[in-house]
Structure formats: C-alpha cells, structure tokens
Amino acid sequence: MTCPPGMIDCNGECRDVSNDPEHCGSCNFDTCEQTEVCQDGACTCRPELTLCDGACVDVLGDPENCGGCGVACDDVCVDGRCLRS
C-alpha cells in the first residue's frame, strides 16, 4: 500500500502518526488517554489540562491540584482557588 506524504501504512490503513491519538508515534503505540492529545508523535495533556505527577489534571477544579500541582484543598476547588463548601 502506498500512503500519501506524511502518512504511513499501519496494517493496511494510512495513518498520520504525528497527530493520530490511536497510533501516536507509530503503528504499534498505545492510544492516548482521554485527557491527552497526540502532538508531534507524542501523547501530551490537552491544552486545558496540566501534567501533575504523570497525570493530566484540571488545576482549575481538582481539589488535589488546585491552582497548581500538589496544592490540595480541604473542601472544593473553583477556578484554581480553594473555597470552603
């Protein structure tokens, strides 16, 4: 099979492994997580998320990473700030 420029043959399917979340980086690469996108052949956090200890998190609403990685709230996190419920 001949694929268009920028694509490679992955078991009979032409794929662009530079941005395909199901074949990110190569034909055999695991798919990116739901919180990730494939960018330049690597799974990275979605733009609205931040990488904290190997996981993509929403620092605007995650009470364990509120406003930044490792900043824990006792109650709730809203817009990156700890608030009491």
Side-chain angles (χ1 to χ4, degrees), residues 2-85:
T2 302
C3 294
M7 301 184 98
I8 62 172
D9 180 359
C10 291
N11 298 322
E13 288 185 71
C14 292
R15 298 283 192 150
D16 180 353
V17 297
S18 68
N19 66 13
D20 185 340
E22 294 177 358
H23 298 280
C24 190
S26 74
C27 292
N28 300 322
F29 190 82
D30 290 332
T31 60
C32 296
E33 299 290 328
Q34 286 185 328
T35 56
E36 300 173 320
V37 294
C38 182
Q39 184 176 0
D40 298 325
C43 293
T44 60
C45 293
R46 292 188 177 282
E48 69 275 12
L49 302 177
T50 301
L51 183 64
C52 293
D53 292 325
C56 298
V57 299
D58 177 4
V59 296
L60 296 178
D62 181 352
E64 298 299 316
N65 300 283
C66 188
C69 297
V71 180
C73 292
D74 291 330
D75 289 314
V76 296
C77 177
V78 178
D79 294 328
R81 295 177 42 209
C82 294
L83 302 175
R84 299 243 182 240
S85 57

